[in-house]
Amino acid sequence: MFPNSILGRPPFTPNHQQHNFFALSPTLYSPQQLIDAQFNFQNADLSRAVSLQQLTYGSISPIQTSASPLFRGRKRLSDEKGLPLDGKRQRFHSPHQEPAIVNHIVPLSAERRFSMPPLFHTHYVPDIVRCVPPFREIPLLEPREIPLPEAKDKLSQQILELFETCQQQVSDLKKKELCRAQLQREIQLLFPQSRLFLVGSSLNGFGARSSDGDLCLVVKEEPVNQKTEARHILTLVHKHFCTRLCGYIERPQLIRAKVPIVKFRDKVSCMEFDLNVNNIVGIRNTFLLRAYAYLENRVRPLVLVIKKWASHHDINDASRGTLNSYSLVLMVLHYLQTLPEPILPSLQKIYPESFSPAIQLHLVHQAPCNVPPYLSKNESSLGDLLLGFLKYYAIEFDWNTQMISVREAKAIPRPDGIEWRNKYICVEEPFDGTNTARAVHEKQKFDMIKDQFLKSWHKLKNKRDLNSILPLRAAILKR
């Protein structure tokens, strides 16, 4: 993908790729190696960074070893001694040391300047490198072959046709995976033991041809502070994209949101991507949703048409105070779990070990493969299920007192915590228990969402034609 880049060299030797996930002792680098790595980054020679020797420590102090030839400290020229102090390469712990380069790009207030040390500070590097598992590739998961349901009525046939036209193709997934693999090599030159995961609708089975690619950069096992650590890391990644990969990546933007991301477009695949840091729960829920997607053959067509419907009516945009796609998917799954004759069970209850939050990340992709198809006695058509979904959230679900829980496979009472107080829509994240619909924080937007459920239910009930609530021609053109 990046044929002319000087950065496309494999960051690990083959023997490094054979280790088990999280199996190695913490890996640290000597101060001189870190100084030289930063110096090389600033002087456009990142390819040398892959030659850093990995020094393993236990609880003892760093072992003194000779540096790699590429990073052996260079002797200062005699005429350099006369330079002012700020014109020389600064040493660690020097009182005159300048903040790391990322601090110039994402400025912090004076009192918080060193609340999180700069990326290349000696006290900060262990947090980035420590407990980061050695690189291990997760195989690309292609869609499982399951037969589509039969369509015995016009509305069900319309849903199926829309699904078959707009669903993400294997070729789309492979383009995203190729971009992920290439970017992983590039980013590992900044963070040698990091890994880049493809997450979200691209991999969970609910993607459309127009779906953006979501990427999660994992730099360490523990959570990172999104306001400080994640911003610093993404600032470095953003600069790398702008300076080294501008021929292959366009419009990179650093979005300093509550969960910061880097948005960019890959010129090769012509696809849009969002990249976050250490959103581990996003990796886990990707494979939980994937298991649900292929558990029953009516799930994926129903989810896709509902996402298209919500997007058409402008209630599928968290940045504008409405529902994000993840919440919509959970709402569909919840509805299918709460039918008098359920179409879906709670996978976390039936297979607690397969979907445990404690599972190591390199094993989470195996969980969907271990779940057999679910045989439901419910024979409702796709058309009936779409109509029932709209009715359920229009007049049956109690928004004031209930919370949507896929984990419990039922509506449960709202918690008393501050996160749930004064929230209009409560959708429980299956792993960390947060509210995935917290973006809906204005009553006007909430009323608009409820009103659209009610109007669409009435229209569809009367006409039994998908065009009455979602113009098919426009939806197909958007793919």
Side-chain angles (χ1 to χ4, degrees):
M1 179 171 291
F2 310 132
N4 299 320
S5 172
I6 63 170
L7 308 175
R9 304 175 186 173
F12 292 101
T13 53
N15 60 336
H16 283 141
Q17 300 181 12
Q18 295 172 0
H19 288 294
N20 289 329
F21 193 80
F22 293 146
L24 292 185
S25 305
T27 303
L28 303 178
Y29 303 112
S30 71
Q32 183 60 49
Q33 288 174 317
L34 291 166
I35 295 172
D36 284 325
Q38 183 181 12
F39 182 82
N40 288 335
F41 172 74
Q42 294 172 356
N43 286 276
D45 195 12
L46 275 175
S47 60
R48 295 183 179 182
V50 299
S51 300
L52 277 172
Q53 290 181 346
Q54 296 196 11
L55 307 179
T56 302
Y57 307 120
S59 58
I60 60 174
S61 59
I63 303 169
Q64 298 300 322
T65 66
S66 59
S68 166
L70 286 174
F71 289 86
R72 189 169 294 134
R74 284 178 290 179
K75 199 171 183 180
R76 281 199 178 96
L77 299 176
S78 58
D79 58 349
E80 187 184 3
K81 295 178 181 178
L83 290 174
L85 188 62
D86 58 0
K88 302 177 183 180
R89 278 195 300 162
Q90 300 299 323
R91 297 180 182 177
F92 278 75
H93 307 297
S94 165
H96 304 284
Q97 180 182 343
E98 291 293 323
I101 190 167
V102 292
N103 287 336
H104 293 290
I105 304 172
V106 184
L108 299 174
S109 58
E111 64 272 16
R112 297 189 60 193
R113 177 73 64 177
F114 292 99
S115 60
M116 185 198 73
L119 284 174
F120 289 97
H121 192 281
T122 48
H123 299 303
Y124 179 64
V125 171
D127 290 336
I128 287 293
V129 182
R130 190 187 304 274
C131 296
V132 180
F135 171 71
R136 182 167 179 174
E137 199 61 77
I138 285 182
L140 176 65
L141 297 177
E142 294 190 1
R144 184 189 298 176
E145 291 296 332
I146 59 172
L148 292 175
E150 291 185 15
K152 298 179 180 179
D153 58 271
K154 176 185 175 181
L155 179 57
S156 298
Q157 185 62 41
Q158 289 173 321
I159 294 172
L160 271 184
E161 289 176 358
L162 182 65
F163 171 71
E164 291 183 282
T165 303
C166 298
Q167 68 171 319
Q168 179 179 258
Q169 303 297 309
V170 174
S171 59
D172 301 324
L173 178 58
K174 287 184 176 180
K175 288 178 183 177
K176 293 176 182 178
E177 169 58 21
L178 178 61
C179 183
R180 182 210 65 82
Q182 296 289 352
L183 286 177
Q184 180 170 253
R185 291 191 193 84
E186 305 291 337
I187 294 174
Q188 281 173 340
L189 294 163
L190 304 179
F191 305 101
Q193 290 187 335
S194 64
R195 284 155 310 126
L196 196 61
F197 290 84
L198 187 62
V199 296
S201 60
S202 298
L203 204 59
N204 64 22
F206 297 119
R209 300 214 66 178
S210 58
S211 297
D212 294 346
D214 294 307
L215 297 168
C216 177
L217 175 63
V218 177
V219 295
K220 62 178 180 177
E221 181 181 2
E222 300 84 6
V224 302
N225 187 311
Q226 293 293 327
K227 290 184 178 179
T228 53
E229 287 181 282
R231 286 190 182 183
H232 279 287
I233 294 165
L234 286 178
T235 299
L236 199 58
V237 171
H238 177 256
K239 180 178 180 180
H240 181 57
F241 285 0
C242 291
T243 56
R244 314 293 183 211
L245 302 178
C246 58
Y248 310 98
I249 287 177
E250 63 181 359
R251 302 198 299 268
Q253 292 178 283
L254 177 58
I255 309 296
R256 296 177 178 88
K258 183 176 180 181
V259 177
I261 60 172
V262 170
K263 294 180 71 72
F264 62 93
R265 181 177 184 271
D266 171 36
K267 291 183 181 180
V268 177
S269 63
C270 298
M271 292 181 174
E272 304 280 343
F273 287 87
D274 294 343
L275 188 153
N276 67 66
V277 173
N278 264 64
N279 183 24
I280 303 297
V281 70
I283 301 173
R284 299 190 186 283
N285 64 46
T286 291
F287 291 98
L288 174 65
L289 262 57
R290 184 178 178 86
Y292 279 117
Y294 293 99
L295 194 62
E296 220 278 345
N297 64 0
R298 288 169 286 185
V299 178
R300 294 171 65 226
L302 186 63
V303 166
L304 187 139
V305 74
I306 288 169
K307 286 172 65 176
K308 292 285 185 182
W309 163 80
S311 179
H312 174 72
H313 292 285
D314 298 320
I315 59 171
N316 181 204
D317 189 347
S319 68
R320 297 187 177 184
T322 58
L323 294 164
N324 58 34
S325 294
Y326 182 38
S327 295
L328 276 169
V329 173
L330 292 176
M331 289 170 69
V332 178
L333 300 181
H334 166 77
Y335 162 69
L336 295 176
Q337 290 173 327
T338 56
L339 292 168
E341 189 63 59
I343 288 179
L344 293 176
S346 167
L347 291 179
Q348 288 169 289
K349 282 187 172 182
I350 299 177
Y351 306 100
E353 294 182 356
S354 295
F355 298 100
S356 167
I359 292 180
Q360 295 176 344
L361 288 184
H362 79 286
L363 297 175
V364 294
H365 71 282
Q366 297 178 0
C369 305
N370 300 328
V371 178
Y374 183 73
L375 301 177
S376 171
K377 296 178 181 178
N378 189 318
E379 297 181 354
S380 299
S381 68
L382 283 171
D384 290 336
L385 291 176
L386 175 58
L387 196 58
F389 170 82
L390 296 172
K391 179 183 178 182
Y392 178 74
Y393 289 110
I395 63 172
E396 294 178 2
F397 183 79
D398 187 348
W399 298 99
N400 295 320
T401 63
Q402 292 182 321
M403 176 175 71
I404 294 163
S405 176
V406 170
R407 176 181 56 85
E408 292 290 339
K410 62 182 180 180
I412 60 178
R414 284 192 181 201
D416 295 328
I418 190 171
E419 184 178 357
W420 306 94
R421 216 170 292 158
N422 302 321
K423 294 296 186 293
Y424 295 103
I425 299 179
C426 295
V427 182
E428 180 194 48
E429 207 293 321
F431 286 100
D432 65 16
T434 56
N435 184 10
T436 69
R438 57 185 174 271
V440 186
H441 56 80
E442 296 178 10
K443 189 175 188 304
Q444 178 189 3
K445 296 297 177 68
F446 173 59
D447 290 341
M448 182 177 75
I449 293 170
K450 282 200 309 179
D451 187 55
Q452 198 52 244
F453 272 103
L454 189 61
K455 285 182 178 179
S456 294
W457 171 53
H458 283 305
K459 287 181 181 178
L460 193 63
K461 181 175 64 171
N462 293 331
K463 297 188 176 181
R464 300 286 298 191
D465 183 348
L466 189 56
N467 281 293
S468 64
I469 63 169
L470 174 63
L472 291 177
R473 184 181 298 275
I476 289 172
L477 286 175
K478 284 186 177 181
R479 289 293 183 101

